[in-house]
Amino acid sequence: MCKFFFTLLICVCSTLVQGQVIKSPDGNLTLKFELTGNGIPSYQLDFKQKSVIKPSLLGISTSDVPSFSEGFSISKTDQNSVNNTWDPIMGEQKTIRNNYNELLITLTQKAEKDRFINIRFRLFNDGLGFRYEFPKQPNLKYFVIKEENTQFNLAGDHKAFWIPGDYDTNEYPYTTSKMSEIPGLMKKATVDIHAQQPIKNLAIQTPAMMKTDDGLYINIHEAALINYPAMSLNVDAAAFKLSSHLTPDGVDNKGYMQTDAQTPWRTIVVSDKAADILASKLILNLNEPTAYKDVSWIKPVKYIGVWWEYFVAGKSTWAYSDENNVRMGQDFSKLKPNGRHGANNENVKKHIDFAAANGFDAVLVEGWNVGWEDWFGNWKENVFDFVTPYPDFNVKELQQYAKDKGVKIMMHHETSASATNYERRLDTAFRFMNENGYNAVKTGYVGKIIPRGEHHDSQWMVNHYIHVAEKAADHKIMVNSHEAVRPTGLHRTYPNWIAQESARGTEFEAMGGLAPEHATILPFTRLMGGPMDYTPGIFQTDLSYYGTGNQRVNTTLVKQLAYYVTMYSPLQMAADMPENYERFKDAFQFIKDVAIDWDDTYILEAEPGDFITIARKAKNKNEWFIGGITDENSRTAEISFNFLPEGKKYTATIYADGKDASWNKNAQSYSIKKLAINTKTKLRQKLGAGGGVAISIKEDADK
Ligand code: NOJ
Ligand code: CA
């Protein structure tokens, strides 16, 4: 997959250099590393003479061996430059450039029998990645991490887009505030979420997005989170200092390490243009290429599901009966049916028909397997077996029905956060999938984790998710995990881990609603780590339509279309119910047409919390799609089509908010019109408050 490879190796081997400086390939970023008087490692980062990270200390404290915090001297430094490209299996662009200058510092603790560690810095044009490495050596084999003490000292009271630090959930709404305001806002920001475990001292999660008063955009996250707990950021709001806060386990340790070992990369993406943050491929570049030999079975998936009706319509349930106190192994066919079970043969067939008629790859069916009666809220270990269907879901019959129509049924494994039970049953569950023609699974981790004391984001669980992805790969199965740890670009290494939720997604539109600005922040935060199964496409935005309450989805219908472009994922759901798509067939055409795998991406306009307009070229096709969204304010998008190749004519189909449309009034009002365009065309397009625009573009056939 490596197109060409160019490596320049300059080895600066010296024994006593105390300060080191490298620049990004374009010279805009400067990284300086030095040791303090006590031999504590310190780094700082500047962008075009502006400070991004002021001198900040590095180190790791341990609970068994002496800590890796001070008394270091530099024993060796290496510099290295890499400039190559690689092609992701699926992605926002066909080819990704990987261009950085590297500084590798070897630090020795003389007082600890010459124990040594490495700190490796990679400086790209779009930011910095660095990690701690613990090579094999005589006096360092095993150690237990108490805390990582990586500081990110910021240069001012930046505006931050943040969610509360939590060991178990990322499903918080975003708060936008100055750093100094975080303490006063934390209580309000910490809304109730099932099984949440907010961090006790003041902390926020990554990816943390910030903007400085003088227009720098800074994003802090991590890459390649493997065999290590996820990192949150402690906040010293008065001094504008952030520092790493790792997720503990049940005995309050953070990480169990054995040399050769390394931490994940700590990432700081920086630019004076917001669009560059969205375009950054730094996190992916810091992940390892996949070792999978055959990836031909990993494919983009556009799907519908027996799903949204569980949240809004009040007509159906995951559970087959209203009895509770059920137990795995009992005869579920003896349960008294509640008559509202959604995953029944007839309803599933209806969905398969709809998927086949409209070109979808798959139908997700939740609630097909026994055990849903009484698990929610009970910290029960053995809830699901992942192989026994309810009596009204005929696995073989439905499989054949789907196969005849060229559609897949997507498996659902809600684990109830009982990872132990899931691991015990995983082989059988995946074999069952192979035997019955399933090639993709949506997993879920709702609830408090078992093993008890572990957290969704702790080292043990981080390893669990990867174990599931690897096992799934053995069975040629793609995985879409919900409630798993936030992604860190591991879809490069485990490309069958095709998407994740790991944020507040569409389901919350039915549970209190999402702020109109929410989706203008997600690409700058959660999506920095990888594709999101946001589950867009809700056309019936006013939920009082179902007679079950007066909630609404806080967007216009057209904004839901735009999400297919603004919210990158090679796995995209059309989340509304088929009958709602039948009512708006002309708008639904966009969801049918839109690509989900791309040759190229052009970030046309972007400002976190305000608006995003993105154009993308479909993979291997002369078709382009544009999605533009705005927050609670209406706006005019300035769309220039200069990304289109010159000398050709194109027809754009523009799906626009109706004149009177906004997220809370006439949200379903829209217009669709065709426009002849070429590379010179410029369009000023009005978006309603909480609205959007979606455009599909085709090259005209030669006449
Ligand atoms: C939470 C997931 O996000 C949602 O999509 C799913 O329907 C429920 N859990 C049940 O598994
Ligand atoms: Ca969820």
Side-chain angles (χ1 to χ4, degrees):
M1 232 161 283
C2 245
K3 283 277 185 57
F4 71 95
F5 192 83
F6 171 65
T7 301
L8 175 72
L9 194 75
I10 317 159
C11 189
V12 189
C13 301
S14 68
T15 38
L16 267 174
V17 193
Q18 295 302 312
Q20 291 286 320
V21 178
I22 56 167
K23 294 218 168 249
S24 55
D26 65 3
N28 285 340
L29 281 158
T30 309
L31 167 82
K32 189 169 170 199
F33 174 87
E34 58 192 352
L35 288 176
T36 67
N38 300 334
I40 302 173
S42 164
Y43 76 105
Q44 66 187 79
L45 183 67
D46 294 334
F47 178 83
K48 295 183 182 167
Q49 269 73 55
K50 288 181 184 162
S51 173
V52 179
I53 303 287
K54 297 206 300 186
S56 296
L57 301 179
L58 299 169
I60 286 184
S61 46
T62 45
S63 56
D64 47 357
V65 303
S67 289
F68 304 98
S69 349
E70 57 182 3
F72 284 110
S73 56
I74 298 177
S75 43
K76 191 167 176 272
T77 67
D78 285 323
Q79 288 190 27
N80 181 18
S81 297
V82 166
N83 186 3
N84 58 24
T85 61
W86 59 281
D87 294 354
I89 294 161
M90 299 177 291
E92 293 175 272
Q93 59 204 64
K94 201 159 107 195
T95 300
I96 291 174
R97 178 154 299 279
N98 175 40
N99 183 199
Y100 60 83
N101 291 330
E102 179 173 275
L103 172 64
L104 178 65
I105 314 262
T106 303
L107 296 168
T108 300
Q109 281 173 308
K110 292 235 161 13
E112 305 302 341
K113 300 187 194 150
D114 281 338
R115 212 176 59 164
F116 62 95
I117 65 168
N118 292 330
I119 301 179
R120 189 183 295 270
F121 295 95
R122 285 190 181 163
L123 196 52
F124 299 78
N125 291 337
D126 50 348
L128 172 69
F130 63 92
R131 68 178 182 189
Y132 305 83
E133 299 176 350
F134 309 90
K136 267 197 176 142
Q137 54 196 286
N139 295 317
L140 184 63
K141 292 197 175 71
Y142 298 94
F143 58 99
V144 178
I145 294 181
K146 202 155 79 189
E147 189 57 279
E148 179 181 319
N149 306 309
T150 300
Q151 298 180 344
F152 305 88
N153 294 340
L154 302 164
D157 194 5
H158 304 334
K159 176 156 103 170
F161 302 84
W162 57 275
I163 57 176
D166 191 299
Y167 300 142
D168 280 283
T169 183
N170 337 87
E171 297 188 350
Y172 287 102
Y174 285 92
T175 302
T176 306
S177 76
K178 289 276 188 189
M179 297 267 300
S180 58
E181 294 166 341
I182 294 177
L185 290 168
M186 185 54 82
K187 196 159 175 256
K188 189 167 165 239
T190 312
V191 300
D192 277 351
I193 297 171
H194 182 61
Q196 71 197 136
Q197 197 59 245
I199 295 177
K200 291 206 177 66
N201 49 327
L202 198 68
I204 59 173
Q205 294 192 33
T206 75
M209 185 67 216
M210 286 164 285
K211 185 182 182 186
T212 70
D213 284 344
D214 53 2
L216 269 195
Y217 298 85
I218 304 172
N219 182 284
I220 300 181
H221 188 37
E222 59 182 312
L225 172 60
I226 299 173
N227 196 18
Y228 204 79
M231 174 181 75
S232 292
L233 299 168
N234 296 314
V235 179
D236 177 343
F240 321 132
K241 289 181 174 175
L242 303 173
S243 60
S244 51
H245 180 121
L246 302 180
T247 309
D249 65 9
V251 292
D252 229 13
N253 287 322
K254 306 235 161 163
Y256 300 85
M257 311 292 279
Q258 177 182 357
T259 58
D260 225 340
Q262 71 259 327
T263 67
W265 298 92
R266 277 59 190 96
T267 61
I268 304 162
V269 177
V270 197
S271 179
D272 46 12
K273 293 185 205 72
D276 291 350
I277 306 292
L278 299 184
S280 173
K281 293 290 162 281
L282 180 146
I283 288 173
L284 266 182
N285 276 324
L286 289 170
N287 277 271
E288 293 300 317
T290 185
Y292 297 172
K293 295 218 164 55
D294 172 18
V295 292
S296 59
W297 49 278
I298 301 171
K299 299 229 157 70
V301 183
K302 206 188 273 184
Y303 74 106
I304 60 164
V306 179
W307 183 74
W308 187 236
E309 62 181 68
Y310 295 143
F311 289 86
V312 291
K315 66 171 187 192
S316 62
T317 60
W318 285 270
Y320 173 75
S321 101
D322 290 338
E323 294 178 34
N324 58 28
N325 197 6
V326 299
R327 191 184 299 274
M328 201 43 53
Q330 79 179 54
D331 185 353
F332 280 85
S333 69
K334 298 237 164 68
L335 288 179
K336 187 165 166 276
N338 62 15
R340 289 178 291 123
H341 182 226
N344 63 69
N345 294 325
E346 194 194 335
N347 195 26
V348 174
K349 280 185 187 166
K350 186 185 102 183
H351 281 78
I352 292 170
D353 291 344
F354 183 81
N358 294 287
F360 286 85
D361 302 298
V363 177
L364 165 75
V365 184
E366 297 201 0
W368 70 278
N369 60 323
V370 299
W372 284 86
E373 275 70 21
D374 71 341
W375 67 277
F376 189 76
N378 296 320
W379 210 2
K380 198 178 148 183
E381 176 142 16
N382 200 17
V383 178
F384 296 109
D385 71 1
F386 313 103
V387 294
T388 308
Y390 278 124
D392 57 348
F393 182 92
N394 189 323
V395 175
K396 298 275 179 220
E397 183 190 325
L398 290 170
Q399 209 51 61
Q400 194 56 49
Y401 191 84
K403 196 174 169 200
D404 291 346
K405 302 220 160 181
V407 171
K408 292 272 181 195
I409 301 181
M410 193 185 293
M411 175 51 80
H412 184 227
H413 289 166
E414 174 53 66
T415 68
S416 69
S418 176
T420 42
N421 178 51
Y422 193 39
E423 287 194 7
R424 285 193 290 263
R425 296 180 184 272
L426 205 52
D427 265 324
T428 312
F430 285 162
R431 252 185 286 122
F432 176 89
M433 285 181 63
N434 284 160
E435 281 157 17
N436 292 293
Y438 294 86
N439 70 341
V441 59
K442 170 177 169 181
T443 61
Y445 294 86
V446 171
K448 290 202 277 184
I449 295 288
I450 301 179
R452 296 188 177 84
E454 289 292 340
H455 296 291
H456 284 75
D457 298 348
S458 61
Q459 184 187 28
W460 193 92
M461 281 304 290
V462 162
N463 290 341
H464 165 84
Y465 307 122
I466 293 173
H467 172 71
V468 171
E470 285 183 315
K471 273 270 162 216
D474 291 345
H475 292 264
K476 294 195 171 27
I477 287 169
M478 295 182 278
V479 180
N480 162 28
S481 53
H482 278 225
E483 296 86 42
V485 69
R486 47 203 169 272
T488 58
L490 285 172
H491 54 294
R492 179 175 182 190
T493 313
Y494 307 102
N496 64 317
W497 194 356
I498 178 172
Q500 295 187 231
E501 181 192 43
S502 305
R504 204 169 178 90
T506 297
E507 62 183 349
F508 280 91
E509 296 279 21
M511 303 188 288
L514 297 168
E517 67 166 12
H518 187 66
T520 69
I521 299 173
L522 280 175
F524 287 95
T525 51
R526 157 67 184 78
L527 274 87
M528 291 298 289
M532 177 168 179
D533 184 31
Y534 184 76
T535 66
I538 305 301
F539 279 10
Q540 183 48 52
T541 51
D542 180 353
L543 304 181
S544 69
Y545 176 81
Y546 302 107
T548 55
N550 58 359
Q551 292 194 64
R552 67 167 65 250
V553 174
N554 294 329
T555 73
T556 63
L557 183 151
V558 171
K559 190 179 186 183
Q560 293 285 326
L561 298 181
Y563 286 164
Y564 290 88
V565 185
T566 61
M567 208 83 80
Y568 166 69
S569 178
L571 173 97
Q572 286 283 19
M573 185 178 199
D576 211 333
M577 290 172 272
E579 49 268 39
N580 290 330
Y581 293 133
E582 301 283 11
R583 290 165 51 215
F584 302 96
K585 274 199 168 138
D586 53 354
F588 183 53
Q589 189 63 38
F590 183 83
I591 301 181
K592 289 168 64 171
D593 292 344
V594 69
I596 51 176
D597 192 18
W598 310 96
D599 273 344
D600 229 326
T601 287
Y602 313 88
I603 315 292
L604 305 182
E605 305 176 300
E607 181 63 27
D610 293 342
F611 55 85
I612 294 176
T613 313
I614 298 180
R616 304 189 197 264
K617 179 182 177 295
K619 191 67 138 304
N620 296 328
K621 271 191 196 165
N622 282 341
E623 290 180 14
W624 292 258
F625 295 87
I626 296 179
I629 58 171
T630 179
D631 61 4
E632 68 285 358
N633 301 306
S634 64
R635 77 179 290 267
T636 300
E638 313 261 353
I639 299 172
S640 157
F641 293 96
N642 59 7
F643 55 85
L644 291 169
E646 283 178 23
K648 300 262 181 194
K649 290 179 174 167
Y650 306 87
T651 301
T653 306
I654 301 168
Y655 301 75
D657 287 327
K659 281 199 177 60
D660 51 351
S662 72
W663 62 276
N664 61 355
K665 261 200 201 111
N666 301 316
Q668 288 168 309
S669 146
Y670 60 85
S671 68
I672 302 174
K673 67 168 193 228
K674 292 209 188 288
L675 194 69
I677 60 165
N678 61 39
T679 186
K680 298 207 179 76
T681 310
K682 291 194 188 336
L683 176 72
R684 287 172 55 81
Q685 180 62 51
K686 171 108 189 303
L687 280 64
V693 58
I695 304 177
S696 66
I697 302 165
K698 281 199 174 133
E699 196 179 298
D700 292 348
D702 289 331
K703 296 217 177 86

